[in-house]
Amino acid sequence: MTRLGTIFHPGLAPEALLPAARAADEAGLDELWLWEDCFREGAIASAAAALGATSRVRVGLGVLPVPLRNVALTAMELATLERLHPGRTIPGLGHGVQGWMAQAGARAASPLTLLREYTEALRLLLAGETVTVDGEYVRLEDVRLSWPPQGPVALHLAGEGPRTLELVGALADGLVVPGGYPPQRLRTVVGRLAAGAAAAGRTRVPEVTVFVPCAFGDQGRSRVEEHRREHGIPASEPVCEVWGQPQQVAEGVARLAAAGADSVALLPLGDLGPREFARAAGEVGALLASG
């Protein structure tokens, strides 16, 4: 069954995170996803706080921009989270928004090469291996974690371009899809993932997590239309948001599940606070579970 979660938007202040995390946990949601938008909350610190404040919900990092961190540091941080809260962290990696990477002095000439080298090295480090590599971007000499995770860690990558999707299919355990994908486009993405996996000789296609803007309530449609205007999305673009009462939202999530989504994370739109939004999302989860 498709997993359901919510997103903590980094437009909210850090002190709003713990109530949102506890609300997602109490509502029975499967996942809480964090965004590491520059220059707002740091994802690792936020994930540690959210995991420590909850007992069961999994926390997704959607996503860590790899140009900002040395891969050894990322391995250390992810290993620590995994050992403290086994099986509850979903690491996501991505190119980062290129304008932000330039602002931080970290923009790579070849983001795809960096992501490939980074993912390969990170997987080896998290597996407890001693890693020496002299790549174009990633350079390590006899690096080994003292406290690697005690089990496998599934790495998710984010991206939209055909070459990135091919890379995800070849290397990753999952794909993080940004908001705004209608079912038809999602089917195309899943097909490209499958092709990338097959080309790499893999029998398992990476799972897919989709971020979906969501507005609960009778005014949901108008809030979605407002969101589109704010972000310059033409009204003629295919519908990729969900809105309305929990039953209507559940139907929209089910359409994405049928198109290949293994996990759907709802991005709150509208005036509901984190607790109210989580409760409504919990109702959606119950409807999906009941078929």
Side-chain angles (χ1 to χ4, degrees):
M1 188 182 85
T2 296
R3 301 183 303 277
L4 187 69
T6 58
I7 296 168
F8 178 79
H9 192 283
L12 298 173
E15 52 267 30
L17 171 60
L18 296 190
R22 294 188 184 109
D25 205 43
E26 293 165 4
L29 295 170
D30 300 302
E31 298 170 355
L32 171 71
W33 282 85
L34 310 176
W35 288 2
E36 189 171 66
D37 279 2
C38 295
F39 298 93
R40 296 177 175 179
E41 291 97 339
I44 297 296
S46 297
L51 288 164
T54 56
S55 61
R56 45 159 300 281
V57 70
R58 299 177 74 209
V59 176
L61 309 179
V63 294
L64 303 174
V66 299
L68 288 179
R69 288 183 183 82
N70 183 282
V71 68
L73 177 60
T74 298
M76 292 161 58
E77 291 179 321
L78 293 179
T80 300
L81 290 177
E82 179 61 25
R83 289 185 71 108
L84 289 173
H85 306 280
R88 292 184 57 208
T89 305
I90 311 170
L93 312 170
H95 301 304
V97 175
Q98 295 306 294
W100 288 339
M101 297 304 99
Q103 281 182 273
R107 185 167 183 167
S110 177
L112 194 65
T113 301
L114 170 57
L115 188 59
R116 178 185 293 277
E117 292 181 356
Y118 201 102
T119 304
E120 291 173 340
L122 181 59
R123 189 177 295 284
L124 293 173
L125 289 168
L126 292 175
E129 298 190 25
T130 301
V131 182
T132 295
V133 61
D134 185 19
E136 185 174 343
Y137 295 100
V138 176
R139 298 179 179 88
L140 301 172
E141 183 176 349
D142 293 333
V143 176
R144 184 178 184 276
L145 297 181
S146 296
W147 300 104
Q150 295 177 305
V153 177
L155 298 179
H156 293 57
L157 304 183
E160 301 182 74
R163 294 177 63 201
T164 300
L165 292 174
E166 179 182 342
L167 177 68
V168 176
L171 289 183
D173 302 293
L175 171 72
V176 177
V177 176
Y181 273 45
Q184 183 176 357
R185 186 178 180 189
L186 183 59
R187 289 189 183 93
T188 300
V189 166
V190 172
R192 287 177 175 161
L193 282 183
R202 302 179 75 189
T203 57
R204 182 177 179 273
V205 178
E207 66 177 32
V208 177
T209 296
V210 184
F211 294 165
V212 183
C214 172
F216 284 108
D218 295 335
Q219 303 302 313
R221 184 181 185 117
S222 62
R223 185 62 189 90
V224 165
E225 291 170 349
E226 180 184 345
H227 172 78
R228 285 193 161 215
R229 289 192 297 271
E230 290 173 354
H231 291 81
I233 303 172
S236 58
E237 285 287 316
V239 173
C240 51
E241 306 89 355
V242 291
W243 65 83
Q245 301 306 317
Q247 179 63 51
Q248 295 169 286
V249 172
E251 291 167 359
V253 171
R255 287 192 290 271
L256 289 166
D262 299 287
S263 173
V264 174
L266 302 177
L267 172 64
L269 303 179
D271 301 323
L272 289 184
R275 185 170 297 279
E276 292 76 15
F277 189 91
R279 285 175 179 164
E283 292 184 43
V284 174
L287 288 167
L288 292 170
S290 66

